[in-house]
Amino acid sequence: MRERLASALLLVALLTGWEAWCRLGRVPALIVPAPSSVFATLWSEIASGRLLPHLAVTTTEMTLGLALGCAVGLATGVLLAEAPVLRRLLHPYIVASQVVPKLALGPLFIVWFGFGLTPTIVITALICFFPLMENTLTGLSQVDSGRRELFRMLGASRLQTLLRLKLPGALPVILAGFRVAVVLALVGAVVGEFIGGRAGLGASIIAAQSVMDSSLMFALFIVITLLGMAFYQAALLIERLLLRHHLKG
């Protein structure tokens, strides 16, 4: 509780200093708006109902992209860990595909998939794919060799070894990759909306930029931050539940 109280007091101090700097220094609102102006704009967007549809779009893109990217990443990580030949063959190409900036691929995805949710979901999935794939591959590769030998001596099949030894043993590492993917999912959704989104928080930031509404842009930054923190806390809750069940098992 002390740490949380200290964190809250630090936030209040920062906002107070920011407000004083803007008012006493007469900083133009176009450059840096005061917190009071930002929160007033945020409340106006919520009360008018303009914010919720965009928030729903970004949340949907983030959720679907995260689910797709994590599912493919987990399956690919398991496949490469269980098939060393495929790992040596495909892993360099997977890494090479990830170093290409997703922002540069956005226009191409718009050509392929058109405007709307689909290109943003694809970008989000591509960003979420690699952390889970790499952590799954790492976790499965680090399972204790003595336990694997014990399973072999007991006559366990390859599938039984995977399901009852490797995946449970790699679960903490896999979940760490999931936490990273959750954070990157929001980045992917907003970046995708920057490129070709017609709705969503990212598209709203571009619209606010076009009319030089700095207060609205800062208000949207707050919403994006809160959305990301909510998803991250949900990921921590899922991790605690799964690891608690794993330890009991």
Side-chain angles (χ1 to χ4, degrees):
M1 290 299 296
R2 290 182 179 179
E3 287 80 2
R4 292 180 179 179
L5 179 59
S7 179
L9 291 176
L10 176 60
L11 177 61
V12 172
L14 290 174
L15 291 176
T16 303
W18 178 5
E19 183 78 23
W21 175 61
C22 290
R23 292 186 178 276
L24 298 178
R26 296 183 178 179
V27 180
L30 178 63
I31 298 177
V32 180
S36 57
S37 176
V38 174
F39 287 117
T41 302
L42 178 58
W43 175 251
S44 175
E45 291 295 309
I46 295 174
S48 65
R50 291 190 296 266
L51 177 64
L52 292 181
H54 295 288
L55 178 60
V57 169
T58 300
T59 303
T60 300
E61 293 167 344
M62 181 180 176
T63 303
L64 294 178
L66 177 66
L68 178 61
C70 288
V72 177
L74 178 64
T76 304
V78 171
L79 178 63
L80 296 185
E82 291 297 297
V85 175
L86 287 179
R87 178 179 179 178
R88 291 190 294 269
L89 177 65
L90 299 178
H91 192 260
Y93 295 99
I94 295 174
V95 174
S97 69
Q98 293 302 306
V99 300
V100 178
K102 303 304 178 291
L103 188 62
L105 296 175
L108 186 60
F109 290 156
I110 291 175
V111 173
W112 289 348
F113 304 112
F115 291 93
L117 296 180
T118 304
T120 304
I121 292 173
V122 173
I123 290 176
T124 304
L126 286 176
I127 292 177
C128 297
F129 160 80
F130 190 72
L132 206 70
M133 187 277 293
E134 194 68 21
N135 277 43
T136 301
L137 182 58
T138 301
L140 293 176
S141 301
Q142 292 180 346
V143 175
D144 183 66
S145 58
R147 293 186 177 182
R148 283 186 290 181
E149 181 64 21
L150 176 61
F151 267 65
R152 189 189 65 81
M153 293 174 59
L154 292 174
S157 66
R158 193 167 184 174
L159 180 60
Q160 288 174 325
T161 303
L162 174 65
L163 297 179
R164 298 186 180 182
L165 173 64
K166 292 184 178 181
L167 282 176
L171 189 59
V173 181
I174 294 174
L175 291 174
F178 176 68
R179 280 189 277 113
V180 175
V182 166
V183 175
L184 295 179
L186 182 56
V187 176
V190 173
V191 168
E193 292 169 353
F194 282 165
I195 300 170
R198 295 179 176 175
L201 299 177
S204 298
I205 291 176
I206 297 299
Q209 181 187 27
S210 65
V211 296
M212 307 296 287
D213 191 343
S214 297
S215 295
L216 180 55
M217 284 190 282
F218 273 83
L220 292 170
F221 294 156
I222 292 174
V223 176
I224 290 173
T225 301
L226 293 176
L227 178 61
M229 292 178 66
F231 267 80
Y232 187 77
Q233 291 301 318
L236 289 178
L237 178 60
I238 293 172
E239 181 176 357
R240 284 196 294 268
L241 291 175
L242 289 177
L243 289 181
R244 183 183 307 170
H245 178 73
H246 167 61
L247 291 175
K248 288 181 178 178

